[in-house]
């Protein structure tokens, strides 16, 4: 569904939060932000209607959203979201990493979920407007960040099953602690064979809430088996690896080749794309193709696969030590993180935090 007024410049109205947190409250939160627990003082809200396109952009105090009980999102789940971060560099400036890629992915998600596409310039302006009022919430301690959660949902109060004619786009933001404290410990992964995350022709490639809701029972199964995350297989043959509940997967072979699943039912991660680009820059071969679970299991057993890692915005890169299935185990939970995993993670985070040059022009300044 195309928006009608994509060419119009958005003029944001800004309403300051009179009840913004005090300096002392702010300092307490920033000292121990956790993840997704605390939110900044403001949020962005842009309306869309079938007739009016995108309109009424505003920055307003963070707070509850009023919804009619018949709002379509509550019944049919017409919803999409994104996740990206703002990083504070040592000179105090605030930067985001490839926000145009998140905007483009949100547009693809919108098309799949019959929602309006938010133009890239509106997406980026929304981040800048939020930073203009909430910059104090971007922490400066090592490996900390401000996590942006842009989202869009069907607000129209109507119980018929059809795309909503009234939609809102929001951005909220949450200061985030360093993901790993005390070193990168490899995690164990549970191979789900009872549940699939996405089906052929389904919504797997879209960032929509239902994909995460349907993965929760599989995630619970993972916890019950002492694993931190769940790995999903394709739903047609049940033999090709897709992705984790919230991260993409990359295998590293003995000869330095990086292999990652190609499928139209996984979320195209921006972290994965960036990591693979950095590996290619170093001369590594990268294969994007179907990868069977047997290739992983047998490769780890034979030593042909030397490292496996997961990647995504929240943790950047997480080493995977052990794969656990209903009737097998591969790898070693106590193994140290692999050297390529560690050095690619370091290179990417160095770029994000402005500690080394940005050869691909991935960083975008938000506060100037
Ligand atoms: C299902 C899923 N796969 C992969 C990713 C990784 O995407 P990105 O690197 O853009 O954060 C995410 C989000 O973090 C996700 O939710």
């Amino acid at each position: 569904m195309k928006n009608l007024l994509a060419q119009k410049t958005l003029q944001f109205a800004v309403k300051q939060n009179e009840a913004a947190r005090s300096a002392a409250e702010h300092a307490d939160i920033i000292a121990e932000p956790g993840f997704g627990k605390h939110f900044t003082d403001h949020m962005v809200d842009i309306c869309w209607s079938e007739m009016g396109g995108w309109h009424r952009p505003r920055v307003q105090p963070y707070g509850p959203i009023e919804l009619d009980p018949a709002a379509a999102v509550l019944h049919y789940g017409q919803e999409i979201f994104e996740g990206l971060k703002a990083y504070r560099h040592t000179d105090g400036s605030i930067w985001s990493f490839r926000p145009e890629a998140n905007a483009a992915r949100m547009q693809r998600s919108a098309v799949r979920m019959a929602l309006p596409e938010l133009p890239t310039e509106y997406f980026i302006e929304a981040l800048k407007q939020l930073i203009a009022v909430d910059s104090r919430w971007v922490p400066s301690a090592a490996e900390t960040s401000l996590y942006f959660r842009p989202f869009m949902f069907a607000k129209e109060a109507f119980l018929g099953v059809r795309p909503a004619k009234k939609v809102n786009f929001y951005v909220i933001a949450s200061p985030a602690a360093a993901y790993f404290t005390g070193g990168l410990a490899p995690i164990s992964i549970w191979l789900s064979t009872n549940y699939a995350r996405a089906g052929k022709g389904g919504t797997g490639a879209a960032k929509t809430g239902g994909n995460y809701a349907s993965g929760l029972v599989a995630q619970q199964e993972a916890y019950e088996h002492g694993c931190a995350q769940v790995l999903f297989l394709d739903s047609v043959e049940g033999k090709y690896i897709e992705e984790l509940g919230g991260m993409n997967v990359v295998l590293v072979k003995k000869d330095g080749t990086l292999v990652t699943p190609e499928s139209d039912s996984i979320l195209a991660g921006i972290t994965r794309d960036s990591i693979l680009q950095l590996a290619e820059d170093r001369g590594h071969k990268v294969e994007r193709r179907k990868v069977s679970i047997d290739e992983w299991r047998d490769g780890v057993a034979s030593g042909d696969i030397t490292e496996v890692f997961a990647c995504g915005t929240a943790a950047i890169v997480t080493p995977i030590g052990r794969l656990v299935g209903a009737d097998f185990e591969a790898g070693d939970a106590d193994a140290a993180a692999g050297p390529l995993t560690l050095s690619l993670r370091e290179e990417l985070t160095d770029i994000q935090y402005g500690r080394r040059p940005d050869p691909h022009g991935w960083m975008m300044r938000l506060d100037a």
Side-chain angles (χ1 to χ4, degrees), residues 35-57:
F35 182 80
K37 284 200 302 196
H38 301 283
F39 297 91
T40 66
D41 295 311
H42 299 87
M43 63 191 207
V44 166
D45 180 357
I46 311 179
C47 300
W48 179 90
S49 67
E50 193 180 47
M51 295 307 294
W54 292 105
H55 62 279
R56 215 150 79 83

Side-chain angles (χ1 to χ4, degrees), residues 105 197 207 212 243 245-248 267 269-271 311-313:
R105 189 169 67 189
R197 175 183 171 277
K207 206 160 168 65
Y212 298 81
E243 60 181 326
M247 283 189 270
N248 294 122
L267 191 80
I270 295 156
T271 314
C311 51
T313 296

Side-chain angles (χ1 to χ4, degrees), residues 143-172:
E143 305 271 314
T144 59
S145 59
L146 181 70
Y147 182 80
F148 289 118
R149 170 54 58 88
F151 60 105
M152 184 192 295
F153 64 83
K155 215 175 193 181
E156 184 184 358
F158 176 68
L159 292 185
V161 182
R162 57 143 172 80
K165 296 180 180 177
K166 271 181 63 185
V167 169
N168 277 59
F169 167 79
Y170 298 88
V171 186
I172 56 173

Side-chain angles (χ1 to χ4, degrees), residues 39-82:
F39 297 91
T40 66
D41 295 311
H42 299 87
M43 63 191 207
V44 166
D45 180 357
I46 311 179
C47 300
W48 179 90
S49 67
E50 193 180 47
M51 295 307 294
W54 292 105
H55 62 279
R56 215 150 79 83
R58 54 200 187 277
V59 175
Q60 63 190 40
Y62 181 93
I65 296 170
E66 192 170 299
L67 270 191
D68 191 293
V73 66
L74 300 176
H75 305 274
Y76 310 123
Q78 200 191 358
E79 182 271 354
I80 56 176
F81 65 98
E82 269 302 324

Side-chain angles (χ1 to χ4, degrees), residues 64-361:
I65 296 170
E66 192 170 299
L67 270 191
D68 191 293
V73 66
L74 300 176
H75 305 274
Y76 310 123
Q78 200 191 358
E79 182 271 354
I80 56 176
F81 65 98
E82 269 302 324
L84 72 165
K85 289 174 170 175
Y87 306 88
R88 195 180 287 282
H89 289 185
T90 44
D91 65 358
S93 58
I94 298 171
W95 299 75
S96 183
F97 180 73
R98 304 185 71 184
E100 312 96 321
N102 291 91
R105 189 169 67 189
M106 192 165 211
Q107 289 154 6
R108 296 197 300 274
S109 298
V111 170
R112 179 62 185 85
M113 300 304 290
L115 283 162
E117 291 169 74
L118 183 81
T120 301
E121 60 272 28
Y122 293 3
F123 183 96
I124 288 169
E125 187 57 24
L127 305 180
K128 289 184 173 175
Q129 291 280 340
L130 194 53
I131 286 298
V133 291
D134 277 341
S135 63
R136 68 174 179 149
W137 290 100
V138 185
S140 53
E143 305 271 314
T144 59
S145 59
L146 181 70
Y147 182 80
F148 289 118
R149 170 54 58 88
F151 60 105
M152 184 192 295
F153 64 83
K155 215 175 193 181
E156 184 184 358
F158 176 68
L159 292 185
V161 182
R162 57 143 172 80
K165 296 180 180 177
K166 271 181 63 185
V167 169
N168 277 59
F169 167 79
Y170 298 88
V171 186
I172 56 173
S174 172
Y179 204 87
F180 294 100
T181 44
L184 275 185
I187 58 168
S188 296
I189 295 289
W190 168 248
L191 175 68
S192 176
T193 43
N194 289 329
Y195 304 104
R197 175 183 171 277
K200 191 171 161 51
T203 58
K207 206 160 168 65
T208 184
N211 292 342
Y212 298 81
S214 68
L216 294 176
V217 286
Q219 179 68 46
Q220 263 168 349
E221 226 180 48
Y223 292 148
E224 282 157 19
H225 289 87
C227 295
Q229 284 274 342
V230 58
L231 171 72
F232 291 103
L233 297 177
D234 76 282
S235 65
V236 178
E237 294 179 68
K239 75 184 230 199
Y240 295 104
I241 61 174
E242 296 246 297
E243 60 181 326
L244 306 186
M247 283 189 270
N248 294 122
V249 177
V250 177
L251 314 181
V252 182
K253 298 179 76 166
K254 196 167 54 188
D255 67 0
T257 302
L258 287 86
V259 185
T260 195
E262 185 164 66
S263 154
D264 55 13
S265 52
I266 66 180
L267 191 80
I270 295 156
T271 314
R272 177 177 71 158
D273 185 66
S274 310
I275 292 270
L276 295 178
Q277 179 65 59
L278 294 177
E280 275 174 330
D281 294 350
R282 293 182 186 188
H284 286 269
K285 195 169 152 216
V286 170
E287 292 174 3
R288 296 171 180 83
R289 58 169 170 83
K290 284 184 162 186
V291 184
S292 72
I293 191 65
D294 290 345
E295 179 175 347
W296 179 338
R297 194 173 42 188
D298 299 347
V300 168
S302 71
D304 191 39
I305 291 172
T306 51
E307 301 178 35
V308 185
F309 63 85
C311 51
T313 296
I316 313 295
V317 169
T318 308
I320 298 176
R322 190 172 64 126
L323 174 65
V324 183
D327 53 5
F328 76 94
E329 277 196 29
D332 174 4
D334 298 323
L340 188 62
T341 303
L342 291 176
S343 79
L344 286 170
R345 181 180 200 279
E346 182 174 276
E347 185 174 353
L348 184 59
T349 53
D350 279 353
I351 293 171
Q352 291 170 331
Y353 286 95
R355 295 187 293 246
R356 72 166 80 191
D358 169 24
H360 295 282

